[in-house]
């Protein structure tokens, strides 16, 4: 008997996400009802009015969903909490303003389970909130293939580009990178990949990354940009631990 209650846990960190985007995210989760999955939404201390509206919004969902409210700590702290309380064999990190392709996600999960992948990588498309494709980041070739650690390190740039074996993540001895303004996401996925020896790619755009005008106009401060150096220090430490 499996020690996991679900095949997949989907972790969705939330911080005052516009409901136009969050509704699209939820819609894509409704469309995977045929999968054995749970959704864990972690509200990272949004505004009180927003949190109240969020609770009401998700209260009528029929798929397994937990909404957790925590003290503000950043996106990766919300993801880490979701990982800690998850009951799925595999994990997907889904941003609250993005969505997934239900059929391609099922194929990706099937491949991960069949190959016992520690990390199953996939492509993503940049889209509008209405699903109009702006461009595809086709890092991985069509079909499924075994990847070397080096290939994965060169191709991965974000946590949303992969499914992760939960037992593998919990056994690493370190969690998601936290405390830097820029680079937490990248540093986390590179640290994870450096430890993996069963990495499989699926060359289809499972993930839909929604391009937003607010993201295009965001300009981080000089100190925020320099904080990426801290993220590289964490990568160096974690990769060093992997090679010892």
């Amino acid at each position: 008997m499996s020690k996991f209650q679900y095949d997949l846990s989907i972790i969705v960190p939330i911080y005052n996400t516009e409901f136009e985007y969050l509704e699209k995210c939820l819609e894509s989760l409704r469309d995977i009802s045929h999968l054995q999955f749970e959704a864990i939404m972690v509200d990272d201390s949004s505004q009180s009015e927003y949190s109240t509206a969020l609770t009401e919004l998700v209260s009528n969902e029929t798929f397994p969903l937990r909404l957790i409210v925590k003290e503000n700590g950043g996106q990766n702290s919300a993801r880490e909490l979701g990982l800690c309380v998850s009951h799925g064999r595999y994990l997907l990190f889904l941003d609250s303003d993005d969505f997934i392709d239900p059929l391609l996600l099922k194929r990706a999960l099937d491949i991960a389970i069949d190959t016992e992948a520690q990390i199953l990588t996939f492509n993503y498309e940049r889209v509008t909130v209405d699903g109009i494709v702006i461009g595809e980041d086709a890092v991985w070739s069509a079909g499924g293939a075994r990847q070397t650690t080096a290939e994965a390190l060169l191709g991965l740039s974000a946590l949303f580009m992969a499914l992760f074996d939960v037992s593998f993540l919990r056994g690493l001895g370190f969690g998601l990178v936290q405390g830097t303004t820029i680079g937490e996401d990248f540093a986390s996925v590179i640290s994870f990949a450096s430890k993996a020896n069963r990495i499989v790619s699926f060359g289809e755009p499972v993930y839909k990354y929604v391009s937003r005008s607010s993201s295009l106009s965001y300009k981080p401060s000089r100190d925020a940009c320099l904080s990426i150096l801290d993220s590289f220090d964490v990568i160096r430490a974690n990769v060093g631990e992997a090679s010892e």
Side-chain angles (χ1 to χ4, degrees):
M1 181 177 179
S2 174
K3 62 180 179 180
F4 297 106
Q5 188 174 350
Y6 303 98
D7 291 332
L8 179 66
S9 295
I10 300 177
I11 310 302
V12 186
I14 299 173
Y15 183 73
N16 296 320
T17 306
E18 294 95 326
F19 284 119
E20 175 189 9
Y21 298 96
L22 185 57
E23 283 276 15
K24 186 67 176 180
C25 178
L26 286 168
E27 179 184 328
S28 70
L29 296 182
R30 295 182 200 116
D31 289 340
I32 60 171
S33 58
H34 54 288
L35 296 181
Q36 292 294 317
F37 86 102
E38 64 171 344
I40 303 171
M41 293 189 160
V42 184
D43 181 355
D44 193 36
S45 288
S46 298
Q47 297 173 355
S48 58
E49 297 85 356
Y50 180 93
S51 294
T52 299
L54 175 62
T55 300
E56 183 177 350
L57 176 67
V58 304
S59 62
N60 294 321
E61 295 295 346
T62 57
F63 58 83
L65 185 152
R66 280 182 283 168
L67 176 61
I68 302 171
V69 180
K70 62 178 286 295
E71 292 185 2
N72 183 262
Q75 192 172 43
N76 267 7
S77 73
R79 289 168 173 156
E80 186 73 43
L81 177 57
L83 166 62
C84 290
V85 302
S86 65
H87 296 294
R89 177 177 176 181
Y90 282 92
L91 196 72
L92 171 68
F93 295 108
L94 174 62
D95 288 351
S96 56
D97 51 0
D98 297 332
F99 56 97
I100 46 90
D101 183 301
L103 295 179
L104 292 180
L105 177 60
K106 182 182 186 307
R107 289 173 60 190
L109 182 60
D110 287 344
I111 292 172
I113 292 173
D114 289 344
T115 60
E116 298 185 340
Q118 293 170 320
I119 300 177
L120 187 286
T121 66
F122 44 72
N123 294 331
Y124 69 95
E125 289 177 330
R126 286 172 284 113
V127 301
T128 67
V129 69
D130 298 319
I132 299 172
V133 178
I134 300 171
E136 179 181 352
D137 284 61
V139 177
W140 317 106
S141 301
R146 185 75 177 261
Q147 300 292 317
T148 65
T149 300
E151 289 170 330
L153 290 173
L154 288 172
L156 285 169
S157 59
L159 288 164
F160 66 69
M161 295 177 66
L163 298 178
F164 299 92
D165 181 291
V166 169
S167 295
F168 163 69
L169 292 186
R170 289 175 175 167
L172 287 176
F174 58 83
L176 282 80
V177 177
Q178 300 180 43
T180 63
T181 307
I182 294 178
E184 286 185 346
D185 200 322
F186 175 75
S188 296
V189 75
I190 293 301
S191 296
F192 294 162
S194 73
K195 283 271 195 171
N197 53 39
R198 290 195 309 278
I199 305 174
V200 178
S201 66
F202 176 54
E204 298 292 343
V206 174
Y207 196 94
K208 310 301 178 183
Y209 178 89
V210 178
S211 294
R212 304 168 58 184
S213 57
S214 59
S215 297
L216 294 175
S217 62
Y218 171 67
K219 294 182 179 179
S221 67
R222 178 179 179 274
D223 288 343
C225 291
L226 289 175
S227 73
I228 196 171
L229 299 176
D230 296 328
S231 296
F232 281 111
D233 287 341
V234 176
I235 292 174
R236 187 180 297 110
N238 289 340
V239 171
E241 291 172 9
S243 60
E244 292 177 356

